[in-house]
Amino acid sequence: MPFLGNRRCREGLAAAALLVAGGAASAQGRITATITDREGAPVPQTVIYAEGLGALGSASDLPRPMAVMDQRDRRFVPHILVVRTGTEIQFPNSDTVSHHVYSFSPAKAFELALYRQGAVHPPLLFDTAGEVTLGCNIHDDMVGYILVVDTPYFAMTDGKGEVALDGLPSGRYRVHVWTPRLKRLDLPAPVEVDVAEGATAPFAARFTAKLSPGHAAGDSSLSWSRY
């Protein structure tokens, strides 16, 4: 007959580990955000990111996964990509036509010379925080954005203008709101928010400046001031 003591011990340790993990997860807090325009209508595809203050500032132990900015149907997919500083981004061409991707933005200036469907460039490292505007030298109507932030806590609003940042250690955070549809000076000022263990901190922002129309395929490229 097999000895069951070791198995029972392992099962007990596994159950204890699950309880500890569950307790740690439940101790984390969250921020829920609602973003509206000056008429009170929800604003989708708005980026919310929270920078931890004090000891929360680095969160250096969290991974920086590889990200992808694809090209399909003469569009950048996704239209807006948010990554943490130190992330490598791949730029595959999944389109049926060639592209020539570039950016003149201070946060990351680069050029990926003409390449066809299936061609692969080495990934690029984005190690400076800021807004990166993408264009294509062949298709002027292609515009995309990469927002590089110094925090692992970020998300984008849904069609209702709502979003939640989950898994936040308790502490104080500076919450930022960003959209390419407003000039930098028209963006709301950052707001400091306290997050308690296992609690939800509500956050709301209302844009007071008029939003530019959302970009759609076939639109002309944005003004050079975006670069």
Side-chain angles (χ1 to χ4, degrees):
M1 175 181 291
F3 179 60
L4 301 179
N6 287 339
R7 189 181 71 183
R8 288 170 180 163
C9 181
R10 289 195 300 268
E11 290 173 349
L13 290 173
L18 287 174
L19 286 174
V20 171
S26 63
Q28 294 175 334
R30 70 199 306 251
I31 295 174
T32 57
T34 303
I35 310 300
T36 56
D37 63 17
R38 60 183 185 176
E39 279 78 38
V43 184
Q45 286 196 302
T46 300
V47 178
I48 310 295
Y49 61 100
E51 296 176 327
L53 303 180
L56 297 171
S58 62
S60 58
D61 56 328
L62 295 178
R64 295 169 173 82
M66 180 79 72
V68 175
M69 174 61 82
D70 205 348
Q71 299 150 78
R72 297 197 299 267
D73 299 325
R74 299 188 182 184
R75 301 183 186 185
F76 288 106
V77 181
H79 178 57
I80 299 172
L81 175 65
V82 191
V83 299
R84 187 182 178 191
T85 49
T87 298
E88 290 188 329
I89 301 180
Q90 295 178 328
F91 290 82
N93 182 0
S94 300
D95 215 335
T96 57
V97 295
S98 298
H99 291 295
H100 189 132
V101 179
Y102 68 91
S103 170
F104 296 142
S105 302
K108 187 67 175 182
F110 67 92
E111 184 175 6
L112 301 179
L114 186 68
Y115 61 114
R116 299 179 181 275
Q117 181 182 28
V120 178
H121 280 281
L124 300 179
L125 177 65
F126 286 71
D127 54 2
T128 301
E131 173 190 332
V132 179
T133 303
L134 305 175
C136 175
N137 260 339
I138 304 174
H139 308 101
D140 288 340
D141 59 336
M142 283 182 63
V143 178
Y145 300 94
I146 299 173
L147 184 66
V148 187
V149 297
D150 284 326
T151 175
Y153 308 118
F154 54 82
M156 197 176 309
T157 57
D158 59 17
K160 297 179 180 179
E162 300 174 349
V163 70
L165 299 180
D166 293 305
L168 303 180
S170 60
R172 192 166 184 82
Y173 294 83
R174 183 174 292 118
V175 182
H176 300 257
V177 180
W178 179 86
T179 174
R181 297 174 61 189
L182 285 178
K183 296 180 180 178
R184 294 180 184 89
L185 294 178
D186 290 330
L187 292 171
V191 175
E192 294 188 4
V193 174
D194 288 313
V195 176
E197 291 187 1
T200 296
F203 170 83
R206 185 169 184 170
F207 297 139
T208 57
K210 184 178 181 181
L211 290 163
S212 63
H215 185 266
D219 287 350
S220 59
S221 58
L222 300 181
S223 66
W224 284 98
S225 64
R226 297 299 308 187
Y227 295 84

